[in-house]
Amino acid sequence: MGLLSRSKRNGALPEGNKEAEIRFPPDPEKEAGTYDDQPVRFLTGWSMSMGILVSIGGFIFGYDTGQISGFLAMDDFLKRFGTVQSDGSYGFSDIRSGLIVGLLSIGTLLGALTVAPIADRFGRKYSMTVWSLVFALGVVIQIAAENSWVQVAVGRLIAGAGVGSLSILVPMYVSETGPRQVRGALVSTYQLFITLGIFIADAINYGTEAMPNSGSWRIPMGIGFIPPLILGLGILVFPESPRHAYRNGRAEEARAGMAKMYGVHGHHREVRREIAEIKEKHDFEISQGKRPWIELLTGPRMAYRTLLGIVLQALQQLTGANFFFYYGTTIFQATGLSNSFVTAMILGGVNFGMTFFGLYVVEKYGRRKSLIVGGIGMTVTFVVFAAVGGGVLDYQTPTNTPKAGTVMIVFACLFIVFYATTWGPMVWCIVGELFPSQYRARSMALVTSSNWTWNFLIAFFTPFITSDIHFYYGFVFAGCNFAAVLIVYFFVCETQGKTLEQIDTMYVAKVKPWKSSKWIAPDAETEALVDAQLHKSNTNDRIQQKEDIGKSNLVSNGVFH
């Protein structure tokens, strides 16, 4: 894609991106020649390596998700932790399999709800080190299990706390640190690594599932100990989030970290402009004093954004993707495949490969259009999958209907294509951009807990539901995907190419979501002037003033026709 060679005059956005251009007022410092105004590279080595390294947090989650699907079908794992069935074979009851799979999600929920104060107090990068070690501890507990399924479940609970915390810290750190012109792709790399983890786990399970001893599951589980060590130690090489550093009185550290990610001097125009926006927002936060948790709902447009984030995270789970990833091996056994590990690996490969394309889509076509198209595609594919599985497939003897099984696998892959390029990566991107700095850690903890709550509900109840209605379950996910299309159209603003501070202003200004792609933000100087004038005014006055400025800026620039 030529990422390293693309540049832009006023920052680093690609030429011709009219939706994301920002107009700057005359700058006396530039006229005096006191700072750098050279073009900025679209992607630097530091920003790319940062995105890859921290996204190992996504690999950790994906790898764990992929491996548990295979463990549930491995003979040694079943003999050690399952029960004897009526025919003499070993298996899991619906409750036991639901708990083994689902307790990871309970752990992620607990981790998500407790990470905010630690991240705000000690910083984003050091928090990633701590929670990586927590995940590693959970892995050790699971590997040490001999015959107790409870020990496996407890280990997954502890590992889940690490996964849940990293699911907030990674998008938050990348959103606050990554250059704005490539921020969407960098945040979406988190989802790319989730899919990579699933694929690698499926491949390793395929290689070990025939082993007659505990190596069939202990080897894949042990390999999962390596990624958290790489992340926990590797993140120490990178700077702290510039926004966290600035909010804690370390302005020069923030400037240096931002300059490193942009690949420019600390006095570059882009760095100065973004630091000015951070200062403007931070000064207003200071003027308002310490904000209680209740302001996650009562702050400027925070109820709207918090509810939107909760719904989007829930809908990402209700797309039905984890229906395949948690129980893929079991699902495709029901279609009559001789080795369902192969199909699970194929789905994982499609998921990983198409998420690469998703990194391009998020910056090329933006968030709104991509999510709407992806939601429509997932709706159609799940309708076909459920209709064929429920109405055509012979569930008791699937070999009697081989064509039906083939159609189901094809449409499962098509579903993964739509999911991996849109809803998989982009929800994490939107949530990382949605909130202002003073609320970001707490808000992301709250809304991400919605993701893990639904993750658990789907993981736990899927065995019961599929035992009763089989593949008709897919119609539930189809309905959720159609609802997701409507939610995005009416409530999600386009944030492509905008700084986090501009996105905050856009939501406060109540820009109509379906018109948001044409919105041009007021410059930092104008916003700072408004905040200075309203320093002693109440929050409602400030919000109204920002709405008026936002609207007048739209009209004066002629962005609506």
Side-chain angles (χ1 to χ4, degrees):
M1 295 188 296
L3 296 182
L4 293 173
S5 62
R6 296 169 63 181
S7 62
K8 176 189 174 289
R9 283 171 45 231
N10 289 336
L13 295 173
E15 289 282 358
N17 190 339
K18 300 299 183 184
E19 295 183 1
E21 286 183 2
I22 299 170
R23 303 182 181 186
F24 296 99
D27 194 324
E29 292 190 52
K30 178 185 176 182
E31 295 174 0
T34 56
Y35 68 85
D36 184 15
D37 196 24
Q38 295 298 311
V40 178
R41 285 185 295 170
F42 185 76
L43 181 66
T44 66
W46 271 105
S47 61
M48 181 172 65
S49 57
M50 177 272 292
I52 292 173
L53 188 280
V54 300
S55 293
I56 290 176
F59 181 94
I60 290 170
F61 171 50
Y63 186 84
D64 193 273
T65 299
Q67 69 176 6
I68 195 62
S69 173
F71 291 171
L72 295 179
M74 290 182 179
D75 291 339
D76 188 81
F77 195 82
L78 289 169
K79 289 178 182 178
R80 287 174 181 268
F81 308 115
T83 56
V84 180
Q85 306 297 299
S86 58
D87 61 358
S89 64
Y90 288 88
F92 290 109
S93 65
D94 290 339
I95 292 178
R96 186 172 297 191
S97 64
L99 286 174
I100 290 175
V101 174
L103 274 178
L104 179 90
S105 301
I106 294 296
T108 58
L109 176 60
L110 296 175
L113 291 174
T114 57
V115 69
I118 299 174
D120 282 340
R121 175 67 180 85
F122 299 103
R124 289 26 170 164
K125 75 172 190 176
Y126 293 115
S127 296
M128 276 191 263
T129 297
V130 170
W131 289 106
S132 295
L133 295 178
V134 169
F135 177 85
L137 174 62
V139 173
V140 170
I141 293 173
Q142 292 177 74
I143 291 179
E146 287 292 338
N147 299 104
S148 172
W149 72 270
V150 174
Q151 183 174 338
V152 174
V154 170
R156 286 180 60 76
L157 181 72
I158 294 173
V163 170
S165 300
L166 292 173
S167 73
I168 294 170
L169 290 167
V170 171
M172 180 164 54
Y173 178 82
V174 177
S175 293
E176 294 182 343
T177 306
R180 63 186 175 121
Q181 74 278 2
V182 73
R183 184 182 63 241
L186 290 178
V187 176
S188 297
T189 303
Y190 173 76
Q191 177 65 24
L192 174 67
F193 272 62
I194 291 178
T195 65
L196 176 61
I198 293 172
F199 175 68
I200 295 297
D202 288 337
I204 294 175
N205 281 347
Y206 176 69
T208 64
E209 57 99 7
M211 297 178 68
N213 51 41
S214 65
S216 60
W217 57 272
R218 279 199 169 108
I219 290 175
M221 195 177 283
I223 292 173
F225 188 80
I226 299 173
L229 295 184
I230 296 174
L231 173 59
L233 297 176
I235 190 60
L236 300 178
V237 176
F238 290 87
E240 181 55 89
S241 153
R243 286 164 174 84
H244 180 271
Y246 192 96
R247 286 168 54 79
N248 284 272
R250 307 195 302 272
E252 285 306 312
E253 179 185 338
R255 183 187 300 274
M258 186 174 293
K260 179 176 287 188
M261 291 300 157
Y262 273 104
V264 297
H265 193 275
H267 296 291
H268 191 277
R269 177 188 189 89
E270 182 70 21
V271 174
R272 289 206 173 203
R273 182 196 56 73
E274 200 157 329
I275 289 291
E277 291 181 355
I278 295 172
K279 180 181 185 301
E280 184 270 324
K281 295 290 183 182
H282 182 59
D283 287 347
F284 177 75
E285 294 166 14
I286 295 298
S287 73
Q288 297 294 296
K290 189 173 182 179
R291 316 313 296 176
W293 273 81
I294 190 63
E295 287 219 351
L296 298 185
L297 297 175
T298 62
R301 290 277 277 175
M302 285 302 296
Y304 180 99
R305 288 185 273 185
T306 299
L307 182 59
L308 178 60
I310 289 172
V311 171
L312 288 176
Q313 287 282 21
L315 286 171
Q316 191 197 47
Q317 289 298 318
L318 290 169
T319 58
N322 281 342
F323 171 61
F324 294 113
F325 296 136
Y326 279 137
Y327 296 101
T329 307
T330 305
I331 289 168
F332 290 107
Q333 280 179 340
T335 66
L337 288 171
S338 58
N339 191 333
S340 55
F341 284 89
V342 174
T343 302
M345 191 164 60
I346 291 172
L347 289 179
V350 172
N351 192 25
F352 174 58
M354 294 311 300
T355 305
F356 262 115
F357 184 59
L359 303 186
Y360 170 77
V361 170
V362 69
E363 296 298 352
K364 175 65 175 179
Y365 300 104
R367 285 58 158 166
R368 276 176 53 82
K369 292 179 183 177
S370 302
L371 289 175
I372 290 171
V373 172
I376 293 171
M378 291 188 297
T379 301
V380 173
T381 52
F382 242 126
V383 166
V384 175
F385 179 88
V388 174
V392 180
L393 182 75
D394 184 339
Y395 192 79
Q396 299 300 323
T397 312
T399 52
N400 292 338
T401 52
K403 291 184 179 179
T406 301
V407 169
M408 292 177 68
I409 294 170
V410 168
F411 275 86
C413 289
L414 289 175
F415 167 85
I416 297 299
V417 168
F418 285 109
Y419 174 81
T421 53
T422 57
W423 277 84
M426 291 184 197
V427 168
W428 295 108
C429 178
I430 290 174
V431 168
E433 299 170 337
L434 198 56
F435 304 104
S437 294
Q438 75 267 37
Y439 303 121
R440 186 169 295 124
R442 290 176 292 173
S443 295
M444 289 186 66
L446 179 61
V447 303
T448 304
S449 66
S450 169
N451 186 297
W452 298 122
T453 299
W454 282 99
N455 188 303
F456 168 75
L457 292 174
I458 292 172
F460 182 77
F461 286 108
T462 288
F464 298 95
I465 296 172
T466 55
S467 294
D468 189 29
I469 62 174
H470 306 309
F471 291 108
Y472 285 121
Y473 189 25
F475 287 120
V476 175
F477 295 122
C480 292
N481 286 319
F482 182 72
V485 172
L486 300 179
I487 296 284
V488 171
Y489 182 81
F490 288 108
F491 299 105
V492 175
C493 289
E494 181 55 69
T495 57
Q496 179 188 16
K498 296 178 177 65
T499 67
L500 298 182
E501 289 68 34
Q502 291 166 356
I503 294 169
D504 178 41
T505 299
M506 178 168 58
Y507 276 101
V508 171
K510 297 183 180 179
V511 174
K512 301 296 184 186
W514 51 91
K515 296 180 178 179
S516 59
S517 62
K518 297 182 179 180
W519 182 77
I520 298 177
D523 57 74
E525 290 184 9
T526 303
E527 284 208 82
L529 178 61
V530 174
D531 287 330
Q533 292 172 341
L534 298 175
H535 184 74
K536 296 183 180 180
S537 302
N538 63 45
T539 301
N540 289 333
D541 290 340
R542 181 176 183 267
I543 294 172
Q544 183 60 52
Q545 189 81 15
K546 279 188 175 287
E547 288 185 38
D548 294 341
I549 287 179
K551 292 174 183 176
S552 65
N553 196 46
L554 287 168
V555 173
S556 65
N557 286 292
V559 296
F560 289 154
H561 304 288

